[in-house]
Amino acid sequence: MKRVACGLAGLAVAVSLSGCATVGDAASTPGCLGIPGEFAAVEGTDRADPATHGPGAPGAPVTVRAIRQPFGIDVLPPLYVYGPQAEPIGRAHTDHDWLKDPSFAAAEQSAYWGELVDGHFFSVPDVGDCELAEMLGGPIGLRAPEGGLLFVQFVSSDCPDCARLSEAIGRVIAEHPQNAFRWVRVRTSLPVR
């Protein structure tokens, strides 16, 4: 199931329950309404950029700098993990038991909020595709290399657990040298927690 399909009901409920939604700069990104945490199909995210780790890869994370502060976000979560179909991956995914380190559990707790709609629970990202595109001035590919994972890590000078999380990511990559991974570090001036 695509993130777009499962999140639209949650988005509609969130907007109606909030009474009004403030539209931000993300509305300037094609496909985005500017509502924080919205599920949107942002053109350009449905691609796999080259692996940074694994067979034939350079073996170092890619670092990009956030050029804007996403509307309505004052603190960034430390990490999002994506699979080969650009699907968010968490500890509950049984085929990715690689994320057993407690650092991943803590990062996942701060990266999503939950919503119950018609008896179904949805995990909604604090920083969705729209906010990420807004921060970076354009979309990045969110498909992991086949057989691996994509780590999108936010780092700042105000990040108490960034080093520990980087070590956990490094261990996952080192424990699976036959798999291709992409690790993107997004440097930001916002606090990361």
Side-chain angles (χ1 to χ4, degrees):
M1 174 164 52
K2 298 282 291 177
R3 288 175 291 148
V4 175
C6 69
L8 290 178
L11 175 62
V13 170
V15 171
S16 65
L17 290 177
S18 67
C20 66
T22 306
V23 177
D25 291 339
S28 64
T29 301
C32 297
L33 299 173
I35 300 168
E38 73 178 290
F39 286 93
V42 177
E43 186 176 328
T45 60
D46 195 28
R47 69 176 193 269
D49 289 330
T52 57
H53 297 79
V62 170
T63 301
V64 296
R65 186 163 302 279
I67 60 171
R68 291 187 196 110
Q69 178 175 330
F71 181 80
I73 296 178
D74 299 322
V75 176
L76 290 168
L79 179 72
Y80 286 100
V81 182
Y82 298 92
Q85 300 304 314
E87 74 278 20
I89 300 291
R91 293 171 302 118
H93 288 77
T94 56
D95 44 333
H96 289 291
D97 62 348
W98 304 341
L99 305 179
K100 60 185 176 276
D101 188 292
S103 298
F104 293 120
E108 187 175 333
Q109 277 188 317
S110 64
Y112 295 90
W113 57 277
E115 183 167 319
L116 190 61
V117 178
D118 295 331
H120 298 286
F121 182 79
F122 296 95
S123 289
V124 182
D126 287 339
V127 178
D129 299 1
C130 291
E131 289 87 7
L132 190 56
E134 177 187 349
M135 285 178 68
L136 301 178
I140 63 171
L142 294 179
R143 293 174 71 107
E146 198 59 46
L149 297 172
L150 164 65
F151 297 99
V152 177
Q153 181 184 19
F154 297 98
V155 294
S156 72
S157 59
D158 186 8
C159 178
D161 294 321
C162 280
R164 186 176 19 242
L165 189 56
S166 291
E167 290 169 6
I169 294 169
R171 281 192 299 274
V172 167
I173 292 169
E175 290 169 2
H176 302 89
Q178 72 283 4
N179 293 84
F181 294 92
R182 183 163 176 81
W183 183 359
V184 178
R185 285 186 177 146
V186 178
R187 292 216 174 270
T188 177
S189 59
L190 288 174
V192 175
R193 300 187 206 230

